Amino acid sequence: MEKTKNKMGIGVYLKKHKVAVIFEILSALFACVLSTASTLLFATFLAKITTGSFGESLRLLIIAGTCMIAGRFCWWLNSYIYYKYANIIWKEIAKDLTKRSFALSISTFSDNNSGSFITRIMNDPMEVLGNLSSLIDRIVEIITQIVVIIYIISLHWIIGLLYSVMLILSFIVEFYRRKVNKKNIATSKKINDKTYSLVKETIESETDIKALGLEEELYDTINISFDKYQKQKSKEDIVDTSIWNTRNVVLEVFGLIVLSLGIYLMEQNILTMATYILIYSYRHDLRDFVWNVGVISKIFTQISISTNRMFSLYDEKRIK
């Protein structure tokens, strides 16, 4: 039993389809390289066109456009591989978890509601697979944004210093957001399991409930469960979006400061118009970078919670 328990995890299933997983990652990496290349080429294009180099600008535009289209093809290939194999892997996990549930003790079923087992088998595997795919996409976007941010930072040391300070502050807020969100998601899932189980058992026992005249009593009980889930889910979403929006306001203010500083540096002939246009064109990349880091941290949280729930079926002490 201990040997089986230690071996089970999402990696076991990904390894069985490692060729498809490798191709999905490679297609995303190629898309990343092409996206980064097109981004830098478009930046150079903007710089050249402001200086009147129209012939060279057209050449850069054609190359950048070609890279962009090729990158979209790579993303299509990435999506094709995911949709083909995600459902296969979900089926394999669901079958194994169902088989494993037959080996659980009667006391485990008595101590836990049926909804928690159903969501572990049916919902959590697909949620993990979807999050893993999203994780690859976000990491690719982040790599591209890092290149752009480094490029902007290298344009002038004062702008680079401001970007560095804002990155540090943003990450501190994001780590706090992740910690709070992880706790709230776990609580929401637990309440959802109980609500799901209550509704399911009520519907399955509808005939007996009517015969005993318990409709009103059970209706009130279900409403209480709905209210608890609604309040918890609202708390989860409101707290998360409040922290997220506060961080974004700070980043927007920072963007205005950078642009204002850019005007001053141009007046002092320290910054060229071409460089200022580049800073303006990619001013949202820092916000998007921090956003993607936040999304990645949330994805890791969701993967961690879902995998723990799924594979806790192999360790009855962890089922709760």
Side-chain angles (χ1 to χ4, degrees), residues 21-191:
V21 172
I22 289 171
F23 271 102
E24 183 181 2
I25 293 172
L26 285 177
S27 62
L29 287 175
F30 278 124
C32 172
V33 171
L34 291 166
S35 176
T36 302
S38 64
T39 299
L40 294 177
L41 286 166
F42 273 121
T44 309
F45 161 76
L46 287 171
K48 291 294 181 182
I49 204 169
T50 55
T51 60
S53 303
F54 299 114
E56 191 171 355
S57 297
L58 180 60
R59 182 176 62 84
L60 288 167
L61 182 61
I62 292 171
I63 297 172
T66 303
C67 289
M68 187 171 59
I69 293 170
R72 295 317 308 170
F73 173 77
C74 289
W75 279 124
W76 170 82
L77 180 61
N78 178 271
S79 299
Y80 175 83
I81 295 170
Y82 167 73
Y83 286 118
K84 181 176 181 179
Y85 286 94
N87 291 312
I88 294 173
I89 295 173
W90 169 82
K91 178 183 69 176
E92 293 172 348
I93 296 174
K95 283 182 176 181
D96 287 347
L97 292 178
T98 301
K99 185 177 181 180
R100 170 56 194 163
S101 68
F102 295 147
L104 296 175
S105 64
I106 296 175
S107 61
T108 298
F109 280 104
S110 300
D111 295 339
N112 297 273
N113 57 74
S114 61
S116 67
F117 295 104
I118 295 170
T119 53
R120 279 172 165 88
I121 294 171
M122 298 296 294
N123 298 347
D124 287 331
M126 188 56 78
E127 187 173 304
V128 170
L129 293 169
N131 280 323
L132 286 173
S133 180
S134 297
L135 183 63
I136 294 173
D137 295 348
R138 295 295 179 178
I139 289 174
V140 167
E141 287 183 27
I142 277 183
I143 293 172
T144 303
Q145 287 158 357
I146 286 174
V147 173
V148 173
I149 290 171
I150 291 174
Y151 180 75
I152 293 175
I153 287 175
S154 67
L155 294 176
H156 196 276
W157 71 269
I158 296 179
I159 293 173
L161 181 62
L162 282 173
Y163 263 71
S164 299
V165 170
M166 283 310 303
L167 279 173
I168 292 171
L169 291 175
S170 297
F171 284 140
I172 291 173
V173 174
E174 196 52 52
F175 287 133
Y176 170 74
R177 176 174 169 243
R178 179 187 177 185
K179 181 180 178 181
V180 173
N181 192 242
K182 183 176 183 179
K183 181 180 178 181
N184 285 333
I185 288 175
T187 303
S188 295
K189 279 184 174 289
K190 189 173 182 180
I191 295 174

Side-chain angles (χ1 to χ4, degrees), residues 159 162 253-267 271 276 279:
I159 293 173
L162 282 173
V253 172
F254 162 74
L256 292 173
I257 292 172
V258 169
L259 291 175
S260 301
L261 176 62
I263 293 173
Y264 171 77
L265 293 175
M266 278 197 299
E267 287 180 346
L271 207 65
Y276 185 80
I279 294 172

Side-chain angles (χ1 to χ4, degrees), residues 1-9 12 314-315 318:
M1 175 65 163
E2 190 68 30
K3 183 179 178 181
T4 304
K5 179 174 65 180
N6 290 336
K7 286 174 62 179
M8 295 312 297
V12 173
Y314 289 89
D315 183 4
R318 292 166 52 199

